[in-house]
Amino acid sequence: MTPTTDSFLERAPLLLRDWISGFFPAALRGVINDLIAILTILAVFGTLFAFLTLAERKILGRIQNRPGPNRTGPFGLLQPFADGIKMLTKEDIVPRAADQLLHFLAPVALVAFSLLTFAVIPYGRHLVPVDLDAGVLYFFAASASTELAVFMAGWASHNKYSLLAAMRALAQLISYELPLLLSIVPVVLAAGSLSPSGIVAAQGAWTLDVLPHWYVFTPWGFAGFVIFLVSALAESNRSPFDLPEAESELVAGHLTEYSGFKYALFFMAEYFGMCALSSLGVTLFLGGWQAPCAFLEFIPSYAWFGAKLLGLLLGFIWIRATLPRLRMDQLMRFAWKFLVPLSLANLGVAALWRLGAGWSEPLQLVRWAMAIAILATAFFLLGRKLSSGFGPRVYRYAPS
Amino acid sequence: MMDFAFALIAFLLLASAATAMALRNIIHSALLLVVSWFALALFYLWAGAEFAAFAQILIYAGAISMVVLFAVLLTQRTPGNFILIPESRRRALAAVLAGAAVAAAIAYAILNASFPVGSTPAPAVTVRELGIQLMGPQAAALLVVGAILTVALVGAVVIAAQPEKLQREDPL
């Protein structure tokens, strides 16, 4: 270990944790350490959730040429707290015909399962809450369980619109889970590990000290990252895939019969899901907590992780402000006819890439060219197939 | 401590499965079935099979539960109202016979299985070794399973694609 990678700042969170658990008897220290990790995740991501809602409204406002929230505190900074108080004091209405228990359990289960996903993300060199050998699988197991909560919410409301919207949401979640999983298989293949910290460690090197060996800088990694981002947008119900809620068209879908704090819990879970998927994206494709250049390693690893995470989240908000919502049939066609075949092609390219790892210098160029050529061909062929038969729209009654 | 955890998991597993059978509301039964799948995953975790546990949750609680719930919703005519009395004596008899046959087969298998007694240390298998095993010595089995699943998938697509094709041929 070089001194820079084990500096005081790098170990500061651990030292703080040990200082706190030092007040407890030795037998309890393991439990206390776990509790501190859980509380830290709750506090950090809870605060991030609060200010992300504010950032989203401010940035959307800026893009749409309006000020956004600016009356609560300086620059509207206290808006999240005002929203929280409003949500807490609102009346909680449960329909008489609803299934009381499931109606109550759905938001709780949703938030619980989305919080579980945070456990396996390596936030820094020494900051891995739970270092599981099958961590990536754990992440997807926990996030797949949230689908159950969506179904419970739709069914327990005893409202046909809620149920229909829940079925629609499930169709979307299941369809996009496939490309999401397929896009990360090449990463697992390349790193030879299902553990997130192992995958981060596999990306930790630089060419000439400035070019990081992150997976996003390989042809299959770039394609995989784009597929991952698109599927992550759909999985977390973000625009342009926000059909399950589509507050301007439906009456909030499966959330129709929810009010007050339960409604807030659904949105909390949505933001948690977005943060978790972005964290996973950073871990798998953007080198996790690794610094982009060797000489920048003096900045602690968790700061790099946070910066990358915030960058991705701001990208999500930007996309929401830019792209219009898809239609249901477009959404399904895009998932099954474009993303799934493309990610399968990407898997093949990744296998080819792995095969060419030992090739000599000039053949490396051939390796790059082959990988890019296969991906580009697949992209253009699939794209043409996707839009064939839906050719240019004719506006018959509009003045041309 | 370990035995207590095992007892708790076993109780959760059996109690949720038994309640699922006893409940009148079929959606509640399906959701309780999911709880018992979770308990099974907990059991795998308790036994040290991390990979199997997460795969169990991902596939059963994530995917198969959806199939079950969709099937229930699409076939159920009036919610919360299903027949409790069999339509004829022959049907009742057939049901009892089928149930007894399954129970007998399972009981036979359990009674004839030999459980190794004594403490054999559980082998610590990493995901990596599991993958190497699957890709090396067990590759043929993996390929056969993959082929069967592909056939099933193609069959499902063919069945699902039929009505649309018929509709298009309809002269309108």
Side-chain angles (χ1 to χ4, degrees), chain A residues 186 189 219-221 223 342-355 367-368 370-376 378:
Chain A
L189 187 76
W220 58 266
L342 191 65
S343 46
L344 282 174
N346 192 32
L347 185 57
V349 170
L352 200 73
W353 186 264
R354 182 91 204 254
L355 211 65
R367 185 183 175 210
W368 274 87
M370 257 163 63
I372 292 173
I374 294 173
L375 280 173

Side-chain angles (χ1 to χ4, degrees), chain A residues 390-394:
Chain A
F390 296 93
R393 181 173 284 180
V394 184

